[in-house]
Amino acid sequence: MERKRNYIGKVQDWADDRLRRMCGRITPGKRLAVILVMFFFFGGLSIYITVSSIYNIGKRDGQRLQIEHIRQLPLQGNDTFNSINLSNKPEYGRNAEE
C-alpha cells in the first residue's frame, strides 16, 4: 500500500512540475485568458448536462412503461371454503354425541 501512495505522490509531483513549466512560459494575460476560457467551457458544459438531464426526466418512460390493472388472485380451491365453514370444527377428542 505504501508503494501506491509513493507512486501517486510521484505522479502528482510530475504533473504539478509539468503544468508549472507550461504555465510559466505564457504571459499572465494569456494565462488569465486560458483560465477564463476553460472556466466558461466547463461551466457551460455542466449547465447543459444538468438542464438536459432534468428536461429528459420521464420523457420516454410513459412509452416504455405499460400499466396493467391489478388482477384478482385465484383462491386455493376448497381449502379456503372449508376453513370458514362452521360445520368443520375439530372436536378435540370429544364425541359428537355429547
Side-chain angles (χ1 to χ4, degrees):
M1 193 60 141
E2 187 63 34
R3 276 190 193 177
K4 286 184 182 181
R5 288 183 186 164
N6 193 16
Y7 181 72
I8 292 172
K10 285 181 183 180
V11 170
Q12 286 176 342
D13 291 340
W14 176 81
D16 187 42
D17 291 340
R18 192 89 174 142
L19 282 172
R20 286 184 189 275
R21 273 190 252 140
M22 287 174 50
C23 290
R25 293 180 186 160
I26 59 176
T27 62
K30 288 182 182 178
R31 193 177 311 153
L32 180 63
V34 168
I35 291 171
L36 289 176
V37 166
M38 288 175 59
F39 175 75
F40 285 116
F41 174 74
F42 289 119
L45 185 66
S46 172
I47 291 171
Y48 170 76
I49 290 172
T50 303
V51 170
S52 67
S53 64
I54 290 172
Y55 175 75
N56 288 327
I57 290 177
K59 188 174 184 180
R60 289 179 235 137
D61 288 341
Q63 296 169 356
R64 287 189 227 149
L65 182 65
Q66 295 183 6
I67 299 172
E68 296 180 8
H69 292 287
I70 298 174
R71 292 184 227 139
Q72 183 178 4
L73 295 174
L75 299 176
Q76 296 186 5
N78 293 335
D79 295 340
T80 56
F81 178 75
N82 289 336
S83 68
I84 60 172
N85 191 355
L86 296 177
S87 65
N88 192 14
K89 291 183 183 178
E91 295 297 325
Y92 299 112
R94 294 186 233 150
N95 291 335
E97 299 169 356
E98 291 180 3

